[in-house]
């Protein structure tokens, strides 16, 4: 696999899964646009570190995935500063848990905006670049919750099921254009996103942080182990390879057996 000469946008890539995906693509030689809610100075520093580590070009965009104008500007920044938009990884995501009757409407709106609508806006802006080049890879970080549901996650499950549908439509529309679109559906991955859920279990059941982690994972994931962010990065890099050129419209679980049940 060699992605030198390619340029990738990875949204929500200053932490967790997105950072691991950015690392995996840069390790294959791709230039990378990092994105996240960090300050411009902190983001620029992270991009410089990534560039130095992998010998690739890297830039940072603080675009807020709740704002379509900023998403469009981010895609244009990648085209201008990296030279092309070949790979788009829609990964930024947020979470909130409550029963549906207690779910704050503003949290619903924010989760749909960041976890679903941002992917539409980024794809809308990026696809013309990919079609012109006759090559593109779109990867959406969905979730096991794009395939099955859990309680207290009305907005998250709706957004993730939505992104699985969006993935199929974009795959079909571009199937003969050299552009693939796939969703990765992770189970529990050890990242900062889930720390609040670990804290809640620790508090409610009087458990240590480590015991609360096992308690969180074991109910859903038969492997009883977390997925590691690097494992998602490796799959994303594979989906960008020539070997994966006929994988499109797929939603690929990486979940220790969760959705096989
Ligand atoms: P994380 O909290 O570690 O990272 C989230 C990233 O998104 C950060 O870089 C943050 O700055 C960025 N972000 C958040 N809101 C943003 C906004 N409005 N605009 C721009 N950037 C924003 O989370 P993670 O666990 O790495 O999750 C990444 C993706 O993976 C999400 O879509 C999440 O739903 C999905 N996912 C995570 C898990 C898990 O167990 N951690 C499981 C399945 C799917």
């Amino acid at each position: 696999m060699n992605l030198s000469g390619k340029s990738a946008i990875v949204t929500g890539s200053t932490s967790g899964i997105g950072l691991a995906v950015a690392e995996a693509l840069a390790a294959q030689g791709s230039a990378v646009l990092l994105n996240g809610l960090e300050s411009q100075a902190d983001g620029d520093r992270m991009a410089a570190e990534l560039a130095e580590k992998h010998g690739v070009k890297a830039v940072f965009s603080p675009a807020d995935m709740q704002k379509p104008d900023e998403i469009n500007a981010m895609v244009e920044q990648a085209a201008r500063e990296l030279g092309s938009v070949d790979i788009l990884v829609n990964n930024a995501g947020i979470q909130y848990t409550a029963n549906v009757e207690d779910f704050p409407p503003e949290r619903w709106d924010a989760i749909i905006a960041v976890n679903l609508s941002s992917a539409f806006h980024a794809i809308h802006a990026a696809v013309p670049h990919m079609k012109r080049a006759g090559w593109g890879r779109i990867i959406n970080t969905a979730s096991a919750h794009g395939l099955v549901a859990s309680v207290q996650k009305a907005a998250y499950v709706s957004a993730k099921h939505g992104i699985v549908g969006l993935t199929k439509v974009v795959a079909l529309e571009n199937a003969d254009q050299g552009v693939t679109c796939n969703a990765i559906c992770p189970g529990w991955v050890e990242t900062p996103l889930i720390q609040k859920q670990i804290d809640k279990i620790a508090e409610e059941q009087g458990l240590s942080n480590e015991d609360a982690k096992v308690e969180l994972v074991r109910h859903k994931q038969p492997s009883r182990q977390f997925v590691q962010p690097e494992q998602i990065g490796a799959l994303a890099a594979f989906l960008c390879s020539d070997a994966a050129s006929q994988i499109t419209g797929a939603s690929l679980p990486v979940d220790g057996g969760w959705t096989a049940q």
Side-chain angles (χ1 to χ4, degrees), residues 14 33-48 58-63 77 81:
T14 52
L33 179 143
L34 291 177
N35 159 255
L37 293 177
E38 276 66 17
S39 67
Q40 186 77 50
D42 286 349
D44 287 346
R45 188 181 39 75
M46 290 189 78
V59 297
F60 173 73
S61 161
Q77 181 189 347
E81 296 181 10

Side-chain angles (χ1 to χ4, degrees), residues 202-215:
E203 193 190 316
E204 281 171 6
Q205 302 185 27
L207 297 174
S208 69
N209 190 58
E210 285 310 304
D211 288 345
K213 279 186 189 176
V214 175
E215 185 60 18

Side-chain angles (χ1 to χ4, degrees), residues 11-19 35-38 61-67 90-95 110 114-115 141-145 156 160 184-194 197 226-227 229 258:
T11 72
S13 50
T14 52
S15 169
I17 294 170
L19 183 56
N35 159 255
L37 293 177
E38 276 66 17
S61 161
D64 182 346
M65 291 299 110
Q66 296 199 50
K67 299 185 177 153
N90 291 303
N91 170 80
I94 52 175
Q95 177 63 287
V114 176
N115 295 17
T141 307
S143 168
H145 285 118
Y156 191 83
K160 295 299 188 182
I184 298 177
C185 298
W188 291 119
V189 188
E190 202 164 356
T191 75
L193 182 92
I194 56 165
Q197 294 173 71
F226 278 97
V227 178
W258 176 339

